[in-house]
């Protein structure tokens, strides 16, 4: 029976007739009971399996009584930094503090600490010395082994060690969290829970660890960045739940961090169950006075139809978190969820999104994956689509048609991203046509990221000619439909492999396109991506070949400015970039030029002489006029 929101304080707990909670769930976000928020899914799946969960949202990390709301939980504490890594949430790529936090009531910044999972874990450990602590969420998942931390510019230890936690539940934790709860309930000590897929634990020795690959020690990683590159690629090759090996990272002769293989993907019925729980689908009412939680606006009338991504972009952490195997919900499950909100008084008739990491992936990329897993050293779409790739939009198309026919629905948008190279590989244009006809709100956002093949290769993206073919086809289909719809390309500056030469090429492309993006994403080195490994080590971990990496903040600013060369504020940076690239041919008055020469400043050189000459002439003219006026006045008096 749905009793509404889960408890957020002792009073709520007591009103349910509970004397204690099984798990106190400490989260860095506001409490939003919606399936787009990880803590909502984990707490609801525990509830569905008979466990009592109390939420402690955004506790005061300077006061250890803030995590004592329910007293000591019967089974343990769960800790999540939130839907985003707390450092990404707090800082821009230039390491400037952000002004707002969409996951906090009223969008207020500063309600969670930096490195939130670590701080919360230590806060709990100050009070409860032996109570089990299980950390999870994106922050813990991507920092589960030694990792480069961009914000401190250091190689950090596994977050398991620095947080004082006992276990990490990494990836999408529906399977592992229930197994952990069942093990604790059965009386197994948390230190003996070493057997669950999708978890990371500490070990004093390796006597009970079997079938494992031993990575370089933390000390070896710190001594040589190339060791880190090699270690990272071993991790990358073991992210698949079917073929992944157990990994061991030594920290001393008496301390090892052991990563079990990833948890198996959810079947469609299991996915349907996860999204069928009695979510309230909004933020806790206690936040109403503060103006609510801004993050709900984007997802309130959206549907998550899949998870996982076989796109394999090198700058994306999905491989380490959700994995490359696509998991989907049934049409019935999605229609049932849509029918919950299309009658909402605030629903205006627009379903904002039907997708996931990549909207148009609705099945594993090939038949063998659910038996053998994804290929370790091959990509499904890069550098070209694999010959075993199944390209089929029929199921997604049927789903969208069903959603369009629902009452109260005016339009069904797709905003979570179309993988255009996958779309171009489809010989049947039916989906492409209906995409343009029914699912675009005047402009379609796509992510070519760059136009230089040298940079695209380091990104794991298709050659630029694929994007060019896509734009041409998009234009033709819209013309046939009589629609004036545009493409909004997402572009990235300063990615590893991008020299000033490639940055200028991108600016020239935008010039020819007649387009200047309002927003540009400077490459952000977040934990557990191939691109971040390149950024830190200066090599591609797959080949160990050297990669040019723009790390100097000023150079990064120049590359970013080139993409927005029309902005007058960027003039000096663009001029400096063109000089550095030896492309002063792009400074002038011709149509192909990016910027014009700066006019001489007043008060110096030729400008000063012309200014002085002009003033002298004006002064002489003024004196002449005064003389003529005086003569006229004399004549008038005589008359």
């Amino acid at each position: 029976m749905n009793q509404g929101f889960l408890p957020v304080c002792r009073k709520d707990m007591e009103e349910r007739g509970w004397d204690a909670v099984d798990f106190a769930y400490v989260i860095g976000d506001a409490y939003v009971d919606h399936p787009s928020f990880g803590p909502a899914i984990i707490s609801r799946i525990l509830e569905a399996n008979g466990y009592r969960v109390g939420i402690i949202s955004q506790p005061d990390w300077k006061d250890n009584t803030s995590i004592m709301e329910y007293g000591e939980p019967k089974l343990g504490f769960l800790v999540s930094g939130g839907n985003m890594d707390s450092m990404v949430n707090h800082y821009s790529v230039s390491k400037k503090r952000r002004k707002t936090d969409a996951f906090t009531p009223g969008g207020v910044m500063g309600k969670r600490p930096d490195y939130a999972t670590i701080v919360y874990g230590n806060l709990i450990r100050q009070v409860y010395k032996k109570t089990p602590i299980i950390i999870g969420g994106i922050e813990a998942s991507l920092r589960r082994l030694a990792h480069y931390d961009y914000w401190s510019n250091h190689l950090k230890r596994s977050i398991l060690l620095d947080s004082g936690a006992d276990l990490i539940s990494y990836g999408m934790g529906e399977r592992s969290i229930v197994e952990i709860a069942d093990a604790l309930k059965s009386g197994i000590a948390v230190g003996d829970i070493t057997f669950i897929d999708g978890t990371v634990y500490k070990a004093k020795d390796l006597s009970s660890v079997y079938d494992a690959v031993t990575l370089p020690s933390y000390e070896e990683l710190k001594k040589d960045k190339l060791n880190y590159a090699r270690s990272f690629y071993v991790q990358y090759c073991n992210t698949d739940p079917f073929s992944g090996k157990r990994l061991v990272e030594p920290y001393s002769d008496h301390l090892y961090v052991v990563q079990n293989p990833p948890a198996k993907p959810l079947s469609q019925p299991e996915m349907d169950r996860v999204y069928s729980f009695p979510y309230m689908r909004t933020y806790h009412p206690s936040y109403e006075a503060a103006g609510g939680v801004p993050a709900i606006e984007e997802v309130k009338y959206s549907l998550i139809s899949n998870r996982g991504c076989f796109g394999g972009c090198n700058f994306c952490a999905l491989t380490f978190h959700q994995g490359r195997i696509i998991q989907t919900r049934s049409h019935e499950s999605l229609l049932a969820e849509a029918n919950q909100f299309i009658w909402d008084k605030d629903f205006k008739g627009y379903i904002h999104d039907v997708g996931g990491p990549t909207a148009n992936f609705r099945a594993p990329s090939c038949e063998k994956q659910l038996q053998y897993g994804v290929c370790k050293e091959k990509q499904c779409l890069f550098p070209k689509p694999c010959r075993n790739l199944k390209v089929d939009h029929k199921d997604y198309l049927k789903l969208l048609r069903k959603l369009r026919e629902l009452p109260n629905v005016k339009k069904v948008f797709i905003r979570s991203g179309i993988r255009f190279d996958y779309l171009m590989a489809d010989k049947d244009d039916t989906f492409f046509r209906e995409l343009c006809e029914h699912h675009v709100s005047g402009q379609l956002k796509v992510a070519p990221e760059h136009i230089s093949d040298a940079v695209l290769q380091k990104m794991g993206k298709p050659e630029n000619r694929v994007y060019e073919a896509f734009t041409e086809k998009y234009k033709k289909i819209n013309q046939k439909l009589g629609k004036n719809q545009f493409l909004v390309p997402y572009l990235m500056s300063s990615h590893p492999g991008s020299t000033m030469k490639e940055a200028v090429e991108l600016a020239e492309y935008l010039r020819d396109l007649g387009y200047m993006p309002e927003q540009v994403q400077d490459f952000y080195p977040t934990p557990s991506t191939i691109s971040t490994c390149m950024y830190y080590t200066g090599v591609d971990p797959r080949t160990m070949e050297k990669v040019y990496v723009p790390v100097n903040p000023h150079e990064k600013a120049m590359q970013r400015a080139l993409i927005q060369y029309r902005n007058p504020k960027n003039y000096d940076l663009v001029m400096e970039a063109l000089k550095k690239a030896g492309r002063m041919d792009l400074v002038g008055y011709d149509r192909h030029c990016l910027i014009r020469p700066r006019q001489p400043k007043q008060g110096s050189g030729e400008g000063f002489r012309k200014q002085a000459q002009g003033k002298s002439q004006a002064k002489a003219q003024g004196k002449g006029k005064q003389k003529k006026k005086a003569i006229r006045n004399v004549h008038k008096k005589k008359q």
Side-chain angles (χ1 to χ4, degrees), residues 54-66:
I55 305 295
I56 302 177
S57 172
Q58 297 185 321
D60 181 354
W61 69 94
K62 298 172 185 175
D63 179 6
N64 58 21
T65 63
S66 64

Side-chain angles (χ1 to χ4, degrees), residues 6-20:
L6 296 173
V8 296
C9 61
R10 176 174 287 275
K11 182 174 178 289
D12 289 351
M13 178 185 77
E14 291 172 348
E15 285 179 354
R16 287 190 170 217
W18 300 353
D19 59 342

Side-chain angles (χ1 to χ4, degrees), residues 21-41:
V21 296
D22 294 316
F23 291 101
Y25 200 165
V26 179
I27 57 176
D29 292 340
Y31 174 35
V32 182
D33 192 29
H34 187 283
S36 292
F37 292 71
I41 289 180

Side-chain angles (χ1 to χ4, degrees), residues 11 13 43 58 67 77 79 92 101 150 189 197 238 263 299 333 367 381 383 429 586 589 616 629:
K11 182 174 178 289
M13 178 185 77
S43 56
Q58 297 185 321
I67 49 87
F77 280 92
V79 177
S92 68
D101 179 352
Y150 170 68
D197 286 348
N238 286 278
V299 298
S333 170
E367 297 287 354
L381 283 165
D429 287 344
L586 295 176
Y589 298 95
S616 297
K629 185 177 181 182

Side-chain angles (χ1 to χ4, degrees), residues 420-439:
F420 62 83
D421 49 348
Y422 183 74
L423 181 56
M424 291 299 290
D426 194 343
K427 296 177 181 178
D428 184 348
D429 287 344
T430 307
F431 173 73
F432 205 155
R433 187 174 61 253
E434 291 200 20
L435 168 69
C436 296
E437 186 174 4
H438 298 289
H439 304 291

Side-chain angles (χ1 to χ4, degrees), residues 389-403:
L389 178 68
K390 286 172 56 182
V391 183
D392 190 348
H393 288 89
K394 293 184 182 68
D395 179 70
Y396 191 37
L397 193 56
K398 289 177 183 177
L399 171 62
L400 293 169
R401 286 170 176 170
K402 290 176 183 177
L403 290 167

Side-chain angles (χ1 to χ4, degrees), residues 226-430:
L226 296 184
N227 283 337
Y228 178 73
R230 296 184 188 99
S231 177
F232 180 85
Y233 191 53
V234 173
Q235 296 172 45
Y236 182 83
C237 290
N238 286 278
T239 53
D240 183 79
F242 294 95
S243 63
K245 297 289 186 181
R246 187 169 287 102
L247 303 178
V248 173
E249 190 168 71
Y251 283 83
S252 72
D253 292 339
H254 304 290
L255 181 60
Y256 302 87
V257 171
V258 183
Q259 174 186 297
N260 285 320
K264 296 294 187 291
L266 299 183
S267 65
Q268 192 167 86
E270 288 171 328
M271 278 277 283
D272 288 352
R273 179 173 180 258
V274 164
Y275 288 89
S276 70
F277 297 139
Y279 302 102
M280 300 303 291
R281 298 191 61 79
T282 188
Y283 50 79
H284 193 273
S286 62
Y287 305 138
E288 200 66 56
V293 180
I296 192 66
E297 295 305 317
E298 286 294 315
V299 298
K300 190 173 183 179
Y301 302 126
S302 296
L303 296 167
I304 297 173
S305 70
N306 63 45
R307 68 170 58 158
C309 182
F310 56 76
C313 297
N314 292 338
F315 49 80
C316 179
L318 275 166
T319 296
F320 271 73
H321 189 59
Q322 291 193 3
R324 290 166 58 193
I325 294 177
I326 303 299
Q327 300 150 73
T328 60
R329 295 167 62 188
S330 70
H331 292 193
E332 291 74 20
S333 170
L334 289 156
L335 290 166
E337 184 178 355
N339 270 297
Q340 290 181 45
F341 63 69
I342 60 175
W343 307 105
D344 191 292
K345 63 181 177 62
D346 296 324
F347 182 66
K348 305 299 183 185
Y350 302 101
I351 295 178
H352 294 155
D353 188 29
V354 183
T358 299
N360 55 328
F361 289 172
R362 278 285 297 172
S365 58
C366 67
E367 297 287 354
K368 71 178 184 65
Q369 285 184 1
L370 294 179
Q371 183 176 358
Y372 302 107
V374 296
C375 299
K376 281 191 175 186
E377 298 179 358
K378 292 181 181 179
Q379 294 289 340
C380 303
L381 283 165
F382 177 81
K384 294 179 180 179
C386 174
R387 57 187 176 84
N388 295 320
L389 178 68
K390 286 172 56 182
V391 183
D392 190 348
H393 288 89
K394 293 184 182 68
D395 179 70
Y396 191 37
L397 193 56
K398 289 177 183 177
L399 171 62
L400 293 169
R401 286 170 176 170
K402 290 176 183 177
L403 290 167
R404 294 202 308 257
E405 292 171 1
L406 290 176
N408 288 351
V409 173
K410 298 175 184 176
K411 195 93 171 179
V412 179
F413 295 123
I414 300 172
R415 291 181 177 173
S416 56
I418 293 290
R419 186 76 188 212
F420 62 83
D421 49 348
Y422 183 74
L423 181 56
M424 291 299 290
D426 194 343
K427 296 177 181 178
D428 184 348
D429 287 344
T430 307

Side-chain angles (χ1 to χ4, degrees), residues 434-450:
E434 291 200 20
L435 168 69
C436 296
E437 186 174 4
H438 298 289
H439 304 291
V440 177
S441 58
Q443 55 187 29
L444 178 66
K445 296 176 181 178
V446 287
E449 306 294 357
H450 214 281

